[in-house]
Amino acid sequence: MPSGPPPVCLTCEHLQVMNPDEPWLCAAYPDGDGVPEDIVLGNPHFEVRPDQVGTAVYQLAAELAAERPRSRCHRPARRIW
């Protein structure tokens, strides 16, 4: 795998199996060749694709979402004009 940012699949709620020598499997790609290489290499999976099973798309894993720091700023942006 090329160097760069880690694949977004690593933080996805739907990732099921990730072994270095086997296809990565998830709810959208549960068998066969697994997650397509273009998604693993960084093409976002935010929309349903015709080659997938069901309607699962990238969703931040629940345990990671719970750990995200919350913004301290809850005010709307200020107009400058």
Side-chain angles (χ1 to χ4, degrees), residues 24-74:
W24 291 9
L25 304 179
C26 72
Y29 298 97
D31 51 25
D33 294 331
V35 178
E37 186 175 6
D38 67 303
I39 294 175
V40 172
L41 295 179
N43 186 22
H45 183 214
F46 298 128
E47 295 181 8
V48 176
R49 295 169 44 141
D51 62 334
Q52 75 176 65
V53 173
T55 59
V57 294
Y58 176 80
Q59 178 183 353
L60 183 63
E63 63 269 15
L64 296 176
E67 293 174 6
R68 285 181 110 176
R70 304 252 184 241
S71 171
R72 293 182 185 184
C73 178
H74 297 287

Side-chain angles (χ1 to χ4, degrees), residues 1-11 24 39-42:
M1 189 174 293
S3 63
V8 72
C9 295
L10 295 176
T11 61
W24 291 9
I39 294 175
V40 172
L41 295 179

Side-chain angles (χ1 to χ4, degrees), residues 10-34:
L10 295 176
T11 61
C12 185
E13 179 72 21
H14 304 293
L15 185 64
Q16 297 171 352
V17 176
M18 187 196 74
N19 293 320
D21 299 327
E22 297 176 18
W24 291 9
L25 304 179
C26 72
Y29 298 97
D31 51 25
D33 294 331

